[in-house]
């Protein structure tokens, strides 16, 4: 069997049904075999979008995404998408073609050292210099990308190797990886701290969603009556409508979450890293507060400077053990419980939903009305103000319903990740919320959505600016707007129509609901462009400079 066929067969045997990619000279052998493969190949218009689609596929399904690109610029165009997946711990396998082994290092056409380029942004990296190593690479990559803390794995494929013949008996060999160590010895201490705490909070991150631990987290929170704070990556781990859900924490998080976090005497962090966006001098609790940290990756421990119990292990397993240890426990914290209820009641922002220009919060309000009728809708976001409005105001009921680039903050993520999510969940409706800056980075892949019959709704919040950077310039740089106004923005409706999609422009608030509802009901790829107020800022906002006070904006807290 040729190496190119062997590669696809091993993926087929793993249950891979979809891959995203773009052909080139050295990967033609693989593309030739795709014609006879059961794997569906989605032809993108730019390789970066192939990586984002594989990422969105994995986030929506929990199953590893797969992408493929040719050597040289094909490989380098994957870098941003792979780094995005790495930052958010998303399981993915990225294949790149490579020049023949005899040409390595000689500056051959479209040669680049993809192995070295990918090393800092992948969990593991392979270059198949001998074809008999291909089964080992694929089998191990499949395990590595999902075991422990998930993440992308890269496999570089020299063209002479995938053209060579492989010994098929190698497919039957067992290739094992080292299972990450787990240490649950701190469970007893953690349970004791929960019993002693008078002001506990849970900080629930993307690791909970990755571990499918949402039911256990909700049960633990309910039995111990502990409020739950969700950074961006943890949204959906507990329904936003749940009485114990405080909402998002971070630079643009909710005021009730910020106050609860700062006032707490115990933080139970599960599958969440103490990043600069969620944990900073402006958000950190007192030095006497304690931390229970559950994470499979020990490099995330002890970044907070507090007394802690570190539990290295699976979030689902650890939560179950805590539930068992706390069996029969009944909380007695009336003052804290009343404070939490009061914080939630006070955490309201008032908007003139009939205002014109349209405020983006009105768009989120109308999206919520639609998702209450169809709770299976998946929503992806781009990065910037549109992302933060979605984080703040959307009602999210379940894990994997909201998909967004967290750690890397990648503009252009929204549209391709939505297409990937649609490929993973063809029976569900998928929407992306994006801005005019992010969409213009990837709008060529509207063609992919149309051509591959992967219809998505594109909700474009168009304010004519790079909104988030403009907001910083407005608030901290004396309104010196340098290179943030998007001059010569195209007619996005005509752009969508040129690709064979539908296009609708909305300029009045009363038109939003019907436009979005019609887009979903059409069953086609549809762009709904909503012209929004460029002066509307996403607040609250915690400035990066601790000397600058918190900006509450409309939030009269």
């Amino acid at each position: 069997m040729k190496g190119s066929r062997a590669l696809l067969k091993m993926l087929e045997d793993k249950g891979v049904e979809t891959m995203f990619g773009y052909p080139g000279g050295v990967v033609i052998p693989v593309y030739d075999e795709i014609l006879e493969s059961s794997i569906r190949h989605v032809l993108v218009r730019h390789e970066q979008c192939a990586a984002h689609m594989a990422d969105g596929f994995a986030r929506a399904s929990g199953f590893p995404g797969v992408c493929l690109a040719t050597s040289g610029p094909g490989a380098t165009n994957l870098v941003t998408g792979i780094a995005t997946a790495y930052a958010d711990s998303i399981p993915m396998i990225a294949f790149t073609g490579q020049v023949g082994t005899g040409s390595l290092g000689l500056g051959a056409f479209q040669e680049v050292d993809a192995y070295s380029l990918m090393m800092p942004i992948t969990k593991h990296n392979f270059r198949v210099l001998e074809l008999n190593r291909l089964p080992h690479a694929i089998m191990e990559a499949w395990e590595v990308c999902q075991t422990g803390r998930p993440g992308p794995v890269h496999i570089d494929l020299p063209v002479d190797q995938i053209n060579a013949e492989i010994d098929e008996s190698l497919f039957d060999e067992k290739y094992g990886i080292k299972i990450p160590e787990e240490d649950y010895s701190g469970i007893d201490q953690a349970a004791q701290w929960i019993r002693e705490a008078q002001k506990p909070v849970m900080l629930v991150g993307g690791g909970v969603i990755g571990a499918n631990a949402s039911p256990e987290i909700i049960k633990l929170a309910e039995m111990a009556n502990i409020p739950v704070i969700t950074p961006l990556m943890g949204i959906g781990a507990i329904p936003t409508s749940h009485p114990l859900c405080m909402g998002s924490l971070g630079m643009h998080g909710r005021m009730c979450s910020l106050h609860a976090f700062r006032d707490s005497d115990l933080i139970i962090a599960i599958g969440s890293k103490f990043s600069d966006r969620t944990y900073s001098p402006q958000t950190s609790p007192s030095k006497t507060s304690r931390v229970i940290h559950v994470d499979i990756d020990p490099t995330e421990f002890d970044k907070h400077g507090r007394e802690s119990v570190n539990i290295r292990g699976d979030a689902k397993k650890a939560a179950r053990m805590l539930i068992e240890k706390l069996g029969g426990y009944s909380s007695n914290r009336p003052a804290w419980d009343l404070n939490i209820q009061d914080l939630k009641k006070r955490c309201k922002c008032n908007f003139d939903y009939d205002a014109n220009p349209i405020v983006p919060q009105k768009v989120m309000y109308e999206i919520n009305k639609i998702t209450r009728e169809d709770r299976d809708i998946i929503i992806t976001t781009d990065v910037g103000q549109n992302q933060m409005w979605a984080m703040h105001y959307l009602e999210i009921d379940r894990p994997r319903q909201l998909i967004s680039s967290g750690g890397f903050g990648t503009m252009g993520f929204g549209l391709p990740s939505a297409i990937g999510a649609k490929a993973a969940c063809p029976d569900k409706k998928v929407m992306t919320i994006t801005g005019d800056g992010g969409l213009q980075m990837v709008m060529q892949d509207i063609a992919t959505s149309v051509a591959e019959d992967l219809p998505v709704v594109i909700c474009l919040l168009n304010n004519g600016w790079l909104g988030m950077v403009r907001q910083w310039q407005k608030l901290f740089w004396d309104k010196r707007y340098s290179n943030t106004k998007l001059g010569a923005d195209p007619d996005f409706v005509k752009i969508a129509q040129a690709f064979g999609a539908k296009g609708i422009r909305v300029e009045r608030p009363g038109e939003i609901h019907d436009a979005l509802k019609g887009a979903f009901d059409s069953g086609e790829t549809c762009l709904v462009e909503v012209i929004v107020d460029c002066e509307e800022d996403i607040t609250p906002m915690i400035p990066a400079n601790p000397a600058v006070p918190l900006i509450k904006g409309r939030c009269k807290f």
Side-chain angles (χ1 to χ4, degrees), residues 412-535:
F413 178 79
L415 172 61
S417 64
I419 297 171
K422 182 65 177 179
C425 306
D427 295 334
K428 295 183 178 179
K429 296 175 181 177
V430 180
M431 160 189 275
T432 186
I433 298 171
T434 186
D436 45 331
L439 182 60
Q440 287 186 78
M441 292 184 173
V442 295
M443 62 186 181
Q444 74 284 334
D445 272 85
I446 295 174
T448 302
S449 179
V450 173
E452 297 286 342
D453 192 24
L454 295 170
V456 299
V457 173
I458 304 164
C459 179
L460 169 61
L461 305 182
N462 187 352
N463 61 10
W465 292 76
L466 298 175
M468 186 61 85
V469 185
R470 180 190 192 275
Q471 178 172 327
W472 281 62
Q473 291 172 337
K474 174 183 177 180
L475 297 175
F476 308 123
W477 293 89
D478 298 323
K479 298 184 179 181
R480 292 169 59 84
Y481 298 126
S482 174
N483 291 281
T484 43
K485 184 168 180 57
L486 292 168
D489 254 0
D491 185 325
F492 289 102
V493 169
K494 288 182 179 177
I495 290 282
Q497 292 170 345
F499 283 121
K502 294 183 66 175
I504 305 169
R505 179 174 291 109
V506 173
E507 299 184 22
R508 289 180 289 274
E511 301 170 346
I512 299 171
H513 184 271
D514 287 347
L516 291 173
K517 188 73 165 57
F520 277 117
D521 291 345
S522 73
E524 301 177 53
T525 297
C526 184
L527 182 145
V528 179
E529 178 188 21
V530 185
I531 309 302
V532 297
D533 187 359
C534 69
E535 291 295 338

Side-chain angles (χ1 to χ4, degrees), residues 59 84 87-88 230-235 248-249 251-254 277 360-361 363-364 367 379-396 402-414 417 432-439 459-463 466-469 471-472 532 536-540:
R59 295 187 200 227
T84 301
D88 290 342
T230 52
L232 174 63
M233 297 306 299
I235 292 176
S248 56
L249 180 71
M251 179 175 283
H252 296 284
R254 303 186 73 198
R277 285 299 169 105
Q361 296 88 339
V363 183
M364 303 303 122
I367 292 172
I379 301 172
T380 77
T381 81
D382 216 282
V383 167
Q385 288 179 317
N386 60 86
Q387 177 188 37
M388 295 295 100
W389 279 311
M391 177 188 79
H392 234 292
Y393 299 106
L394 288 185
E395 298 169 1
I396 303 298
L402 181 68
I403 294 171
S404 195
S405 168
F408 213 52
T410 307
M411 287 183 67
F413 178 79
S417 64
T432 186
I433 298 171
T434 186
D436 45 331
L439 182 60
C459 179
L460 169 61
L461 305 182
N462 187 352
N463 61 10
L466 298 175
M468 186 61 85
V469 185
Q471 178 172 327
W472 281 62
V532 297
E536 186 67 24
D537 296 328
I538 175 64
T539 54

Side-chain angles (χ1 to χ4, degrees), residues 85 98 122 150 170 222 318 336 356 365 379 400 413 437 473 507 525 557:
Q98 185 57 271
T122 54
L170 295 172
E222 290 175 344
W336 182 241
N356 210 352
Y365 172 79
I379 301 172
R400 307 188 188 279
F413 178 79
Q473 291 172 337
E507 299 184 22
T525 297
F557 195 87

